[in-house]
Structure formats: C-alpha cells, structure tokens
Amino acid sequence: MTTPTPTRRLTRSTSDKWIAGICGGLAEYFGWNANLIRALFVLSCLLPGPQFVIYLVLWLVIPKNKGPYVAQG
C-alpha cells in the first residue's frame, strides 16, 4: 500500500505579496526566494515584450491560496 503524495499547486501567495501575489506564489511553487522572482520580473521589463500583459493574465488565471503555505520537504 502506498501513501499518497501531496501535489504541488500553483497559487497566488497571500502571505508574501506586494501587488497580486504572483511572484510570491511562483517562488513558493519553485522553492525560490520571492525577491529573486521580483528582481527577474523587473529586469525582464527592461526588454521588449508583453511582461505586464502576462502578469495581468496570471493574476486572473492563478487562484488565490486558500490556506497557509506549508513547505514540501
């Protein structure tokens, strides 16, 4: 008999957010520092492309985290 493993789910962070929790949610999902994700996003905005549009779409598509974040060890 095997024990079910918890599945990771991409959600917007409610505890580590500045605007919408997108960068904090990505950081929780990948196990990175949220400030690194934010810095990469700001640096990417210096390049041509639809970064702001992608951020807005992610804001609409990714659900908000309903419970406290528990690190998957």
Side-chain angles (χ1 to χ4, degrees), residues 21-33:
I22 300 297
C23 294
L26 288 170
E28 289 174 359
Y29 184 79
F30 290 112
W32 296 353
N33 186 338

Side-chain angles (χ1 to χ4, degrees), residues 4-71:
T5 58
T7 58
R8 292 190 313 171
R9 187 162 182 220
L10 180 59
T11 58
R12 290 186 288 137
S13 177
T14 55
S15 60
D16 189 10
K17 72 177 198 174
W18 283 7
I19 298 174
I22 300 297
C23 294
L26 288 170
E28 289 174 359
Y29 184 79
F30 290 112
W32 296 353
N33 186 338
N35 290 329
L36 174 65
I37 301 288
R38 291 181 184 110
L40 290 173
F41 175 73
V42 169
L43 289 174
S44 75
C45 289
L46 300 174
L47 302 171
Q51 289 84 347
F52 290 111
V53 174
I54 291 171
Y55 189 89
L56 292 175
V57 168
L58 290 175
W59 192 347
L60 295 172
V61 172
I62 299 175
K64 187 183 287 188
N65 188 1
K66 300 291 185 197
Y69 172 70
V70 177

